[in-house]
Each structure stands twice: as structure tokens, then as C-alpha cells.
Amino acid sequence: MEAAQAHMDDIDNASDGLKLLVELKRYKPGFGFTCKARDIGLDSYVECLEKDAFRCPFSVSYGYFYYCIFLARIHAAKAL
């Protein structure tokens, strides 16, 4: 049962994240992600290519670059 609850929590967190991205105009329902990201070969991150990456709550900086940590965005960038 604990695994099922953890999975439901992950779904809830992803839904909340998508709502936040819609508010930030980084995701359009029915269209997909509108922000730019590039797969850089890491499993857990993609490079954020947005000029205002520092405004996104799913963006973390390291050195001179910003990386996206939102799992759905990472999956989409790697799939495309």
C-alpha cells in the first residue's frame, strides 16, 4: 500500500507542477512545453535555454548554466 500512496503523491506533485508551469507560461495544455531545454546526457537534468531561467521554480543554477529538474520536462526533452 505504501508504494501505491507514494505513486499517488508523485502524480499529485506532477499535477501541481504543471499548474505552476501553466501560470508561468511554460506549458500549454494540449500543446505541451513552451520552454526550451536541451538534453545534455545527464539522467536527472536537462539544460534550460530560457533567458529568464532564474524565475522558474524548477530551475537550478550551476556555474553559468541553469538546469531543469521537472521530471516531465526532462522526459519530454529526452524523448524529442
Side-chain angles (χ1 to χ4, degrees):
M1 285 306 251
E2 289 180 26
Q5 183 60 42
H7 183 68
M8 292 304 295
D9 290 344
D10 288 345
I11 291 171
D12 288 343
N13 290 338
S15 295
D16 291 342
L18 280 177
K19 289 176 190 173
L20 184 56
L21 289 175
V22 168
E23 291 173 14
L24 294 170
K25 296 182 172 56
R26 299 208 187 298
Y27 182 84
K28 286 185 182 177
F31 180 74
F33 291 96
T34 58
C35 57
K36 298 176 190 91
R38 175 177 55 193
D39 182 15
I40 54 171
L42 297 173
D43 290 337
S44 302
Y45 303 95
V46 292
E47 183 180 356
C48 178
L49 302 175
E50 293 295 311
K51 291 181 182 179
D52 63 345
F54 60 92
R55 294 178 189 243
C56 182
F58 299 106
S59 173
V60 294
S61 65
Y62 184 76
Y64 296 104
F65 302 99
Y66 283 89
Y67 300 94
C68 182
I69 59 171
F70 189 64
L71 293 177
R73 182 65 185 107
I74 293 167
H75 178 74
K78 290 181 178 297
L80 301 175

